[in-house]
Amino acid sequence: MRVSLRIYKYLLFALALAVLGCGGSKSSSGSNDVVGGDATNGGDTVDATPDVDLGSHTAAALCGPAGCTISSSDGRLQLVVPPDALESDVVLFIDEIAEADRPASPFTPRGRTITIGPADQTFKKTVQVVIKSDGTKWFNPYLQHYDATTTTWTKLERDAQPTLPSDPIFTVSAQTSTLGIFTVADERFLSPQWMALTDTHLFVSNAAVTLDASFNTTYHEAWITIVDRTTSEVVKLIRTTQLNPNNLLIRDQKLYVVNAGSYEFDSSFAPLSTSDGGLDVFDLSVDPTTWTTPQFNIKIPSTTSGHRGAPGVIAILSDGKTAFLGSNVAPELFEIDLDTKSIRSVVVLPKLSGDSPSYTARPYLRGSDDMLYVGLPDEDRVILVNPLDAQVQPDMYSVKSKTGDNPARPDFLEPNAPTGIFALNTVGQTLSVIDLAQKSVTDDVLELGLYPNVLRINGSSAYVVVSGDHALAQFIATKPEPSTLVAAYLTFPEGSNPFDLVISVDGSLGFVSDQVRNRVYAVKLGSAPELLSEIE
């Protein structure tokens, strides 16, 4: 399976690289009942208590069983303690954290960061942390809490969803029973993965999956981020109908978004679908910034006639009326009738013992026949399926890793005109080339690095996103040999986990999604890839 397994694998890798760091920046003020702001106690203003040392904090107050509200001097930060949350009086405080003193984890979100303390203070009820906007344009604000022991951030569920960005003055709040370091982040990207590109906009799917310190998975409400190509600014977030959007495809003025839904894992770590997936279709003939909902959605139930759902990838036949969705959890393809907006059939793929077809490359027109290229990673096989003739026996090719002891896992396929297919072997860390005319396979053509994830062809060059090495490799597509691997191997920042690559029509610009650092990189393409900017 592609998405969740990759998130587990790469986040485990990235978490090992995280560096613990935290600090604080405190402003001085007099020793008073309220320092730097206002406080109320049970709805009344707290009386001054000169003999109580409140310390040097941005804001502080003596709070007791009656409860209190502590506000920063600008009124944008609040801690609300309800009655009976405390057994006795205690000094609570808020401190701003300077940019240079924020936790040094690569997962630290962008945003205003504060310490609310004392960090070891316990409560009998949850308390509320409130952050108010400064009037600038926000899209998706969340509060997050930092655990210094595990160096991880946990997103807190909001008390309510702000109406954004139409209302730039908003309040976001969340309940917590633990104090410490908090930040409010404008979460424009959350585990961004697949992308699609037009002349005017970049579309990015956000799986919106997080893991806690024990690597338990939480699926959040998910969305597509829309970026203006001219300004490189985020201009819209549009919610998907189901959780966990995966593959994106643009065809005939439509944006197709495959929503996988959520997964869980059985005792053997086999993925099981736990919520419905589906296909969202958006109309590109209108301005995407005006979208509010998809044009239509086709639901893929988590169990369909005994099959397990969880669509992950999409291919559309040349007639524009039939789509195939590859399952993320079973060796199956869902045949979709786009006219009637319904599931027409489920195609069970030939296999030996099986896992899912991890990636169905776009249909590749050979002669007059549409062909589907399907990788079966647990079988180390690639098959060619003629969806127009169920009686035709599929062509099947085996690929191998360099050592032969480890599986190759052909996780991504890319047709290479006129008669070839490039197969990326994620575990084998190599490239295999399938010659359709000769019906032959050449393995270990190139050694690509740790977890090669996506391959895109751009003229005579081919680019590979090497996720485990947080890099972008380039080689000559017309003659893939070890000597042709470009020495200029673009490396992204430490702690990153690049996932997908899309390329502009003129071939000069690429965009790379980073599912750990939650951003997209703009890359200049040519004789050697060059990092231009980061879109957050």
Side-chain angles (χ1 to χ4, degrees), residues 376-461:
L376 290 171
D378 277 7
E379 300 289 341
D380 280 351
R381 290 173 180 264
V382 174
I383 63 174
L384 278 63
V385 179
N386 182 350
L388 304 179
D389 188 350
Q391 303 304 313
V392 176
Q393 181 65 28
D395 291 337
M396 189 175 297
Y397 300 87
S398 295
V399 297
K400 298 178 181 178
S401 65
K402 183 177 181 181
T403 63
D405 297 330
N406 297 320
R409 290 193 67 91
D411 255 342
F412 189 92
L413 309 175
E414 181 72 1
N416 182 33
T419 60
I421 304 172
F422 287 149
L424 279 186
N425 301 314
T426 301
V427 176
Q429 304 180 23
T430 59
L431 175 73
S432 295
V433 177
I434 299 172
D435 188 317
L436 300 178
Q438 300 297 322
K439 294 188 179 294
S440 63
V441 179
T442 303
D443 291 311
D444 304 326
V445 175
L446 289 175
E447 294 184 48
L448 296 168
L450 186 62
Y451 307 137
N453 194 59
V454 166
L455 185 151
R456 305 292 187 193
I457 297 174
N458 183 27
S460 61
S461 295

Side-chain angles (χ1 to χ4, degrees), residues 80-91:
V80 181
V81 180
D84 301 321
L86 289 168
E87 292 184 348
S88 59
D89 291 350
V90 63
V91 173

Side-chain angles (χ1 to χ4, degrees), residues 508-530:
S508 64
L509 183 65
F511 295 94
V512 178
S513 58
D514 185 337
Q515 65 173 347
V516 168
R517 296 186 71 227
N518 294 324
R519 64 198 65 204
V520 172
Y521 304 106
V523 178
K524 180 181 178 181
L525 302 178
S527 58
E530 176 186 344

